[in-house]
Amino acid sequence: MSIDWKKNIEQMQENYQRKPLRFKHLPKPKWMRETDPIYQVYRDKKMLMKYGKVYYAAVVQANQLLFEKDSKENCPGNIVYSTHPFMKENPLLLSQLAHELFAYKGMPLEKVPAQYREIVRIITDEMDRSGVNFHTYLDKYTSIDQMQNSDIGNMEDWRELTIKFLALMVFRNDLPQNYLGCNLLPILAAPNVCQSVLILPKQYWTDEFLKWSYGL
């Protein structure tokens, strides 16, 4: 199924702007401690609700329980996302990058490309909540013609862009059918004011994206 990625993310942004969250309960798992770096989302949620913008993100890895429909556990995962406007039109490149990163999991670091080594160390550890900003090159994943036909501004921005890798809490109530059924998700992020992100609650998703991601 082919969809207009830019149209959908902009519609989800419009949906959120029309009726932004004023309050959101974030359940705390029994294992959660305030010393866990991922706890920061509970402190940042007000800033996210007020200043957050909608971006596409791709799941690199997540707790296996999140893929189980019968489980009720809220669990952590790792994602990659970018604020670069090119990703509004080409979010599947994030999915491709996420799959590439996960494929290196467990490998000796000397066999991993230098720019990915810290990320691979983190996902292999599974308990490390560190975040990493790194650069990738668009022409590794797409053609020059595709970049030229995209609304991405300055030509110097074409080849290199910043990708954010980070841990997040996945709250089931935000997902269709309360489970993680897709690698690509819309998130709420405000990187200028905080590093935490939230999955955009499902009530803001477009019908087209719901059909593409969950077949609904």
Side-chain angles (χ1 to χ4, degrees):
M1 176 183 173
S2 178
I3 70 173
D4 186 329
W5 298 108
K6 184 178 180 183
K7 177 182 175 182
N8 276 271
I9 199 70
E10 289 179 347
Q11 183 61 59
M12 288 187 271
Q13 175 67 51
E14 185 178 325
N15 292 346
Y16 185 77
Q17 287 180 325
R18 191 183 305 121
K19 194 174 181 180
L21 292 169
R22 303 298 184 190
F23 173 81
K24 182 171 178 57
H25 172 66
L26 301 181
K28 295 176 185 176
K30 292 180 180 179
W31 53 262
M32 178 68 73
R33 300 291 181 269
E34 291 189 20
T35 53
D36 190 326
I38 209 169
Y39 186 88
Q40 187 63 35
V41 70
Y42 297 92
R43 303 184 182 102
D44 290 343
K45 68 175 184 177
K46 289 183 179 180
M47 286 191 291
L48 282 169
M49 290 188 293
K50 184 174 182 180
Y51 300 110
K53 303 294 183 185
V54 182
Y55 303 98
Y56 286 118
V59 178
V60 178
Q61 72 173 6
N63 189 297
Q64 190 62 36
L65 291 173
L66 292 170
F67 300 97
E68 298 176 6
K69 293 183 178 181
D70 295 335
S71 176
K72 299 185 183 300
E73 298 294 326
N74 298 300
C75 303
N78 298 100
I79 60 165
V80 286
Y81 83 99
S82 177
T83 60
H84 195 290
F86 186 77
M87 290 306 182
K88 283 187 175 183
E89 300 178 55
N90 301 278
L92 294 181
L93 300 183
L94 289 170
S95 294
Q96 186 178 344
L97 175 60
H99 286 303
E100 182 180 356
L101 290 169
F102 188 75
Y104 289 120
K105 183 177 178 178
M107 281 190 181
L109 292 181
E110 61 269 19
K111 295 185 178 181
V112 177
Q115 72 269 31
Y116 298 159
R117 286 176 186 168
E118 178 62 6
I119 295 170
V120 172
R121 183 196 66 77
I122 292 166
I123 63 175
T124 300
D125 179 276
E126 294 190 345
M127 297 301 292
D128 193 326
R129 314 293 197 203
S130 302
V132 177
N133 289 347
F134 65 102
H135 297 287
T136 192
Y137 296 90
L138 290 176
D139 51 0
K140 178 179 179 181
Y141 299 100
T142 189
S143 68
I144 295 296
D145 286 343
Q146 188 176 359
M147 289 188 282
Q148 288 176 330
N149 292 330
S150 296
D151 181 18
I152 60 173
N154 194 312
M155 289 177 61
E156 294 181 0
D157 294 337
W158 283 6
R159 295 182 181 277
E160 186 176 2
L161 72 159
T162 300
I163 303 290
K164 298 178 183 294
F165 165 88
L166 69 157
L168 85 165
M169 274 296 297
V170 178
F171 299 102
R172 288 178 175 273
N173 288 343
D174 293 330
L175 294 168
Q177 300 182 336
N178 296 328
Y179 82 105
L180 191 57
C182 185
N183 161 267
L184 191 68
L185 300 165
I187 61 166
L188 202 58
N192 291 332
V193 295
C194 68
Q195 297 307 306
S196 301
V197 303
L198 288 168
I199 293 174
L200 183 72
K202 58 195 173 190
Q203 63 264 31
Y204 297 107
W205 295 22
T206 61
D207 290 341
E208 189 175 30
F209 188 78
L210 277 167
K211 185 175 181 180
W212 177 86
S213 56
Y214 279 78
L216 300 177

